[in-house]
Amino acid sequence: MKKFVYILILAITLSSCSEYQKALKSEDVKVKLDMATKLFENGKYSKANKLFDQVVPKYRGKPQAERLMFMSAMCSYELKDYHISGYHFERFENSYPRSDKAQEASFLSAKSYYMLSPVYSKEQRETVEALEKLQLFINKYPDSDYLAEANVLIKELDFKLEKKAFEIAKQYNKIAYFESSDYEAAIKAFDNFLVDYPGTSFREEAMFFRLDSAYKLAINSVKSKKEERLEIAKGYYNTFHKYYPNSERTEEVEKMNEDLKTESQQFNTKS
C-alpha cells in the first residue's frame, strides 16, 4: 500500500513538472498565465516567478496587468529578493494608485527596504533608506491597518542607528587609550550622540564614557591645558552624578572625582 502511495505521489510530481516545463516552453501566453497563477496560489513562487517574467511584459496596458504585476512583486518578496520586490511594489503603487492593493504594495515596498537593513556594525545606508520609505508610507496612509507594524519597524531601525552611533563614539574612547589626543574626539562624539538621541537607552553609558574620556584627557594633559580640562571633566562628573547618583559605576566615578580634585589643588594654591 505504501509503495502504491509513493508511486502515485511521484507520478503526480512528474506530471506537475511536465506541465510546468510545457508552459515554460509554450508560445501560448494564456497557458503561461494559467500555470503561473496556479503555481503562485500553491506557494511555488520560484517557478511562478519564471513564468511571470515571461508573461508580465505581454500584458502591459491590458486589464490583467494590475493583478499580474502585484503577483510578480509578491513572488520576489516571498523569495526574499527584496531589492527587486521593493522596486516592483513601488512601481505597482505608482502605476495603480487607485488599486485596492496600492496600500499593501506601498507597505511591502517599504518593508522590503527594511529587510535589506544590515546589522548595526555595518554601513547603514539601507537603514536610512528604509526609514524614509516607512515614513513616506505612514504620511500617505496614516489610518492604515499596517500602521502599527510600520511603527514597530521604524523603532527597530531607529535603535539600530542609535546603537551604531553609540558604538562609534565608544570606539573613539577605546582608541584614545593608545592615542590620548583622540579623547577630544571621543568627548565630541558622545556630546553629539546625546544631542542626537536625547531619549536613548544608552544615555547613562554615554555620559559615563564621556566623563571617562574627559577625565583621562585632563589627567594626562600638559600643564598649560590641564586646568581648563580638569574643570571640563568636573563639569561632566557633576552632570553624571546629578542624573545617576546611584549608578552601578558610582565607585569608578567617585574615584575619578577624587583624582580630579587632587590634580586641581596645584592650581588652587595662591602664589
Side-chain angles (χ1 to χ4, degrees):
M1 181 64 182
K2 286 184 179 180
K3 187 176 180 180
F4 172 76
V5 172
Y6 291 146
I7 292 172
L8 182 61
I9 291 172
L10 180 61
I12 293 171
T13 302
L14 290 172
S15 174
S16 175
C17 289
S18 177
E19 287 179 31
Y20 167 69
Q21 289 299 329
K22 285 179 181 178
L24 203 58
K25 296 173 183 177
S26 176
E27 297 296 324
D28 190 333
V29 180
K30 179 69 165 54
V31 170
K32 291 179 183 291
L33 173 59
D34 291 344
M35 178 55 70
T37 303
K38 179 181 176 182
L39 290 167
F40 177 84
E41 291 172 349
N42 288 327
K44 307 292 184 181
Y45 300 113
S46 182
K47 288 182 177 180
N49 203 38
K50 289 177 182 177
L51 287 167
F52 282 131
D53 284 344
Q54 295 181 358
V55 169
V56 171
K58 305 290 185 183
Y59 280 91
R60 283 206 182 104
K62 297 180 181 179
Q64 299 95 323
E66 179 182 331
R67 182 164 175 263
L68 286 175
M69 200 170 172
F70 185 86
M71 287 193 293
S72 178
M74 187 60 81
C75 280
S76 297
Y77 183 83
E78 294 292 346
L79 292 169
K80 304 186 190 307
D81 193 349
Y82 298 119
H83 283 104
I84 299 297
S85 65
Y87 169 74
H88 278 257
F89 278 126
E90 189 170 4
R91 188 176 166 209
F92 175 89
E93 186 196 10
N94 291 334
S95 299
Y96 304 101
R98 296 182 181 179
S99 169
D100 59 358
K101 290 287 188 179
Q103 185 180 138
E104 183 180 2
S106 180
F107 174 71
L108 289 176
S109 176
K111 190 172 181 180
S112 294
Y113 287 100
Y114 160 85
M115 298 300 289
L116 291 169
S117 172
V119 295
Y120 79 87
S121 57
K122 294 186 177 181
E123 167 62 40
Q124 294 298 302
R125 180 175 56 82
E126 291 89 350
T127 302
V128 172
E129 189 171 15
L131 279 166
E132 290 172 354
K133 298 292 184 182
L134 284 163
Q135 192 58 59
L136 282 172
F137 168 77
I138 289 174
N139 293 345
K140 196 167 188 178
Y141 303 102
D143 301 317
S144 171
D145 291 340
Y146 298 105
L147 184 63
E149 186 178 355
N151 282 324
V152 169
L153 299 184
I154 284 176
K155 189 175 181 180
E156 289 180 19
L157 294 172
D158 276 336
F159 180 78
K160 195 176 289 187
L161 293 180
E162 181 182 317
K163 175 76 170 171
K164 174 79 172 179
F166 174 72
E167 291 298 331
I168 288 173
K170 197 173 174 183
Q171 193 64 28
Y172 278 117
N173 177 269
K174 289 180 181 178
I175 293 171
Y177 180 82
F178 303 100
E179 187 68 40
S180 60
S181 61
D182 282 342
Y183 281 124
E184 287 184 280
I187 294 166
K188 185 175 181 180
F190 282 117
D191 277 338
N192 290 339
F193 174 78
L194 290 164
V195 169
D196 292 340
Y197 302 96
T200 177
S201 57
F202 299 110
R203 188 167 182 262
E204 181 177 348
E205 282 190 86
M207 290 176 73
F208 169 78
F209 283 112
R210 181 178 65 176
L211 167 59
D212 180 68
S213 298
Y215 162 79
K216 288 171 180 171
L217 179 64
I219 293 297
N220 295 300
S221 287
V222 295
K223 193 165 185 178
S224 60
K225 296 181 179 180
K226 198 164 195 174
E227 184 176 15
E228 180 184 1
R229 288 175 173 175
L230 287 168
E231 289 305 311
I232 291 171
K234 283 192 282 186
Y236 286 136
Y237 161 79
N238 290 333
T239 301
F240 184 90
H241 182 70
K242 175 183 176 182
Y243 288 103
Y244 303 104
N246 300 312
S247 170
E248 290 181 359
R249 295 183 179 274
T250 295
E251 188 175 341
E252 291 175 78
V253 169
E254 291 305 325
K255 172 65 169 60
M256 288 184 208
N257 187 40
E258 289 303 315
D259 290 345
L260 292 170
K261 286 180 180 178
T262 300
E263 290 292 325
S264 295
Q265 286 176 1
Q266 61 183 296
F267 301 103
N268 295 331
T269 305
K270 292 182 180 179
S271 54

